[in-house]
């Protein structure tokens, strides 16, 4: 007769099978049991044929991986603890000493910091290419180039590159190309079929922190592929680096995922309406949103994302930036951001609350101020799920208070 505490820890009760409900179960584990030593020795953690250790996957994380792969048009996916970890997983899996990585000059800032602060220390060099010039990218690819990062639209300035030609170039030169697909989220275009004829990026990295989570309360990333050998390379690095995710976080994303397309569209519509309104305000020298005619790369956005919406309006993330006219001081621009009530000051996007961040663009560009961007202070907005009229009124009152005509 064992002690009651032992009995309860090794409890024999198994609930009946066949439970079915809208949301999948949360399987939490570091330890995973094996029925016997032979099974322990045989089990293969590399494929989703069984379970070895919580770090390498549970039913909850496998489910989310499969759903993200479907969202992105891919076949395999690994989950990592943040969007930035997804970028790092790709870099560390594919690059070694002596190699070079190319990044667009408008890329997500921390990806540049990864190259400058970590990869450089491992003897991996980097160059920043002009995202709006395929010729510039072509000129920078050399015999040490092992990875090209792509981003559509670019961070903060939201230029839309000629992604199709960029990918064709990488294919022709035999260089692996990885897209940071956080903006498109698998909804604005299919990264694994860009031209309707199967033209695909090799890797799609995605900050699930943004749209798939949708709550501003989860950090997670994914790395999606359509090539089993490439996936295995990424998965091996993923394992060696210990980049597993927690089951509660995976569950939060699984719960939000069914509404991702609805939220993406609602936040897109709000951002476009506000960008349109901002383009009529004399305090702003330029409004940056790829769906606006005249925006940098608008034609490329039209080509790639124009058909993503059944009503022919195309699809875009709920982000836009303004360049505040340089006659206003930095202090006035800061006061404008402080004066906003519904737009909260904070990083990230894709959650229910609209956000605003002022940026110093000059310090973020390695190759100088882009010719297609007006001079002035850049303020980036992301739209949440509030009523658009309220958001517009918030912008109007803050403009009147802080940036008088
Ligand atoms: C937010 C973001 C990331 C990083 O995601 P985290 O989960 O915050 O680390 C990467 N790329 C882009 C384009 C992003 O917007």
């Amino acid at each position: 007769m064992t002690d009651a505490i032992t009995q309860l820890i090794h409890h024999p009760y198994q609930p009946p099978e066949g439970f079915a409900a809208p949301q999948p179960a949360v399987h939490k584990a570091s330890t995973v049991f094996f029925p016997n030593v032979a099974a322990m020795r045989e089990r293969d953690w590399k494929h989703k044929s069984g379970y070895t250790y919580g770090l390498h996957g549970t039913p909850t994380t496998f489910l989310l991986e499969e759903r993200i792969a479907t969202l992105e048009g891919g076949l395999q996916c690994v989950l990592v603890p943040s969007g930035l970890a997804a970028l790092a997983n790709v870099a560390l899996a594919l690059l070694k000493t002596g190699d070079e990585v190319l990044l667009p000059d408008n890329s997500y800032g921390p990806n540049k910091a990864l190259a400058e602060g970590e990869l450089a220390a491992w003897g991996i060099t980097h160059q920043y290419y002009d995202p709006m010039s395929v010729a510039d990218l072509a000129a920078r690819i050399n015999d040490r180039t092992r990875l090209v990062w792509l981003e559509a639209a670019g961070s903060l300035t939201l230029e839309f590159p000629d992604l199709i030609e960029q990918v064709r170039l990488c294919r022709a030169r035999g260089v692996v190309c990885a897209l940071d697909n956080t903006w498109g989220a698998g909804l604005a275009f299919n990264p694994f079929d860009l031209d309707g004829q199967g033209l695909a990026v090799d890797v799609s990295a995605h900050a699930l922190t943004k749209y798939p989570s949708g709550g501003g309360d989860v950090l997670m990333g994914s790395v999606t592929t359509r090539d089993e050998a490439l996936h295995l390379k990424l998965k091996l690095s993923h394992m060696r680096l210990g980049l597993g995710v927690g089951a509660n976080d995976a569950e939060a994303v699984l719960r939000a995922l069914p509404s991702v397309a609805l939220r993406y569209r609602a936040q897109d519509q709000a951002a476009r309406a506000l960008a349109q309104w901002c383009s009529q305000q004399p305090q702003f020298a330029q409004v940056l949103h790829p769906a606006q005619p005249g925006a940098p790369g608008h034609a490329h956005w039209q080509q790639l994302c124009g058909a993503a919406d059944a009503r022919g309006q195309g699809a875009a993330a709920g982000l836009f930036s303004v360049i505040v006219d340089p006659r206003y001081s930095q202090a006035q621009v800061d006061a404008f951001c402080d004066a906003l009530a519904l737009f909260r000051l904070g990083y990230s996007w894709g959650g229910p609350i609209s956000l605003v961040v002022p940026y110093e663009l000059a310090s973020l560009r390695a190759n100088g101020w882009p010719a297609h961007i007006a001079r002035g202070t850049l303020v980036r907005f992301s739209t949440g799920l509030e009523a658009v009229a309220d958001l517009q009124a918030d912008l109007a009152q803050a403009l009147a208070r802080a940036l008088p005509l």
Side-chain angles (χ1 to χ4, degrees), residues 48 55 58 60-66 68-69 77-82 85-86 89 206 208 220-224 231 235 238 242-246 249-250 253-254:
K48 291 190 173 73
L55 193 58
T58 66
T60 311
T61 59
F62 283 0
L63 210 56
L64 182 54
E65 285 175 351
E66 292 297 309
I68 295 297
C77 173
V78 292
L79 298 176
V80 294
S82 69
N89 192 163
H206 188 168
L208 306 183
M220 199 178 291
S222 62
V223 181
T224 302
H231 167 68
K235 176 87 182 159
H238 179 271
L243 296 176
V245 304
D249 285 345
V253 179
L254 280 166

Side-chain angles (χ1 to χ4, degrees), residues 108 182 207-216 218 220 263 348-351:
Y108 177 66
T182 307
L208 306 183
T209 304
K210 309 290 169 52
Y211 279 105
S213 138
V218 176
M220 199 178 291
R263 291 182 282 105
S348 201
W349 37 280

